[in-house]
Amino acid sequence: MLYGMKTLVLLSIAALMALSTLASPREDIPANPCGYASPDPCVGTAEWGAQLEWASNHGSAEYQFLIGRIFDSGWSIEEDDSEAVKWYRRAAARGHAAAQYNLGVAYDTGEGVGEDKVEAVKWYRLAAAQGFSMAQHNLGVLYEYGEGVSQDHVEAVEWYRLAAAQGLVRSRYLLGLMYKDGKGVPQDSTEAARLFRLGADQEHRSSQFHLAGMYYVGNGVRQDSTEAARLYRFAALQGHSDAQYNLGVMSEHGHGIPQDYDEALKWYRLAAEQGHAGAQWAIGLMYDYGTGVLQDYAEAVKWYRLAAEQGNASAQHSLALMDFLGKGVPQDFVRAHAWANLAAARGYAKGYELRASIAERMTSAQVAEAQRRAREWTEAFENRKR
């Protein structure tokens, strides 16, 4: 969870001139006949080139950084990542923290320059030493995952802590995860909950989601299903698919909130539309058993299939059962065996039982065909994940 965006400062060339530390008179700055906003038709004129040459030789680090931002953003001129990197490098070499950070992002993401995590670490470190919070955060991420540096959770925690102390919400969240999981620090659910609370108060949806989970089970906080549902709702309203799914489960079963099948289906659908396999399977179950909806086996099969194709073992078992019984689809033992086999391969115990029951009604040739289909599906699925 890097901060990949570069610092967002968009100013006109006229504003850049005002920021220059050069003590020369205003008339020494080359004029731009198109106006200092430099509209596209004028880009590339000799006058514009003269301004850039002046900035290169005389402009302050802040001036050079802001020209980099203009090239980076494509504001009033054609976007040019390579040109942006050139200007960031000039400002960064003169100690400009934001330019050092942006140069780090460029090397981190490969925008305008070849991707180089080691070089990214170098520039992040220079900006971080000046207290630049997003650089501190990104250093923490690189140390946590061992990119450009040796993996070091203790070091990651220290950088997250520095950025979190400046109020950076994502650092508070990742530091909370470190305390929750005991990575780089002794496991401390109470401290994790405190950090998630800070993030939740800043409307950070992942912090809200994790704090809700802690309230649901009583981990680091008192157990409170109602508070869990409230926090899940905040995250769900911001589009957090896991929160939407969990809120659907709580609505369906009346945990912490009144049982409401319409609400459950609403939240399941929102998560399912984002590709949440668990929510897709849950919708399938509602249509399969007529829970809060008219029973519709064909609709159940549709949702089971969406989840099964994502590797959800529960959905694969449910789909196998529909194929085996001919519910919502024509009965097909080969297809049923293949789906049951896939569920079993993921350790789903009911998949083993169903596969055995289906195999009793099949010929050896049909079993071989089902096994072939399962292998082909697995190979295709693994290739999609790469």
Side-chain angles (χ1 to χ4, degrees):
M1 297 186 65
L2 284 164
Y3 271 98
M5 73 271 195
K6 298 180 182 136
T7 52
L8 301 175
V9 181
L10 300 179
L11 296 177
S12 68
I13 297 297
L16 301 187
M17 301 300 182
L19 287 168
S20 175
T21 58
L22 187 66
S24 60
R26 176 69 176 79
E27 56 268 23
D28 288 351
I29 302 171
N32 181 353
C34 307
Y36 289 108
S38 295
D40 289 343
C42 298
V43 172
T45 63
E47 290 80 2
W48 172 243
Q51 285 190 45
L52 295 183
E53 183 178 358
W54 180 91
S56 177
N57 295 326
H58 305 290
S60 67
E62 180 72 7
Y63 189 109
Q64 294 169 340
F65 163 71
L66 292 170
I67 289 180
R69 280 298 303 131
I70 288 175
F71 278 112
D72 199 356
S73 65
W75 179 76
S76 77
I77 60 175
E78 184 176 355
E79 182 177 340
D80 189 331
D81 290 335
S82 297
E83 190 70 11
V85 165
K86 181 178 77 175
W87 287 97
Y88 289 148
R89 193 183 305 279
R90 287 172 176 160
R94 298 170 69 181
H96 193 286
Q100 291 167 342
Y101 165 74
N102 281 8
L103 193 54
V105 171
Y107 277 110
D108 208 345
T109 61
E111 293 179 7
V113 68
E115 183 179 316
D116 186 335
K117 300 292 187 182
V118 174
E119 193 70 6
V121 168
K122 166 189 158 183
W123 291 108
Y124 284 152
R125 196 181 299 281
L126 288 169
Q130 297 191 63
F132 203 86
S133 62
M134 290 189 293
Q136 293 167 341
H137 173 91
N138 284 7
L139 268 179
V141 173
L142 293 177
Y143 270 107
E144 182 176 356
Y145 294 98
E147 296 183 345
V149 289
S150 298
Q151 188 177 50
D152 188 333
H153 290 154
V154 174
E155 189 75 8
V157 164
E158 290 309 307
W159 287 113
Y160 288 151
R161 199 187 307 281
L162 287 170
Q166 296 192 63
L168 205 62
V169 66
R170 201 178 300 179
S171 294
R172 288 173 169 174
Y173 165 65
L174 292 185
L175 187 57
L177 289 180
M178 301 295 269
Y179 274 104
K180 182 173 180 284
D181 299 333
K183 290 169 60 177
V185 287
Q187 197 277 335
D188 188 337
S189 297
T190 301
E191 179 63 10
R194 184 188 73 82
L195 289 161
F196 291 149
R197 170 64 68 188
L198 290 173
D201 289 344
Q202 291 178 266
E203 300 184 356
H204 185 256
R205 64 181 194 171
S206 293
S207 296
Q208 292 166 338
F209 171 76
H210 281 277
L211 184 59
M214 299 184 86
Y215 272 107
Y216 190 76
V217 299
N219 180 26
V221 292
R222 71 185 188 286
Q223 197 282 329
D224 188 336
S225 297
T226 301
E227 180 66 6
R230 188 182 75 87
L231 288 162
Y232 279 141
R233 186 177 297 276
F234 285 143
L237 288 171
Q238 294 190 69
H240 195 292
S241 62
D242 285 333
Q244 291 167 341
Y245 169 72
N246 285 2
L247 200 53
V249 172
M250 296 180 78
S251 297
E252 182 179 358
H253 299 286
H255 294 165
I257 48 179
Q259 188 177 54
D260 187 328
Y261 294 134
D262 289 339
E263 276 290 293
L265 187 59
K266 179 187 82 173
W267 291 113
Y268 285 150
R269 282 190 185 279
L270 287 171
E273 287 167 2
Q274 296 192 64
H276 194 289
Q280 292 166 344
W281 178 61
I283 294 174
L285 287 174
M286 293 185 79
Y287 279 106
D288 194 352
Y289 294 97
T291 306
V293 294
L294 290 175
Q295 193 172 51
D296 186 333
Y297 293 142
E299 188 71 7
V301 166
K302 182 187 85 172
W303 289 104
Y304 286 154
R305 193 178 305 282
L306 287 171
E309 290 289 358
Q310 293 195 68
N312 184 285
S314 299
Q316 290 171 340
H317 172 267
S318 295
L319 193 55
L321 194 58
M322 302 298 269
D323 283 321
F324 179 47
L325 300 175
K327 293 168 62 176
V329 289
Q331 189 176 53
D332 188 325
F333 291 163
V334 172
R335 195 167 58 215
H337 188 284
W339 283 118
N341 199 6
L342 290 167
R346 282 163 175 72
Y348 195 73
K350 292 181 180 179
Y352 292 100
E353 300 168 8
L354 181 57
R355 182 180 63 184
S357 297
I358 299 168
E360 291 174 358
R361 294 162 175 77
M362 299 170 66
T363 66
S364 58
Q366 287 176 318
V367 171
E369 171 62 14
Q371 291 172 337
R372 183 189 68 79
R373 291 188 191 182
R375 285 195 301 272
E376 287 185 353
W377 185 93
T378 299
E379 290 172 6
F381 180 72
E382 292 301 324
N383 287 335
R384 289 198 302 271
K385 286 167 56 179
R386 294 193 185 102

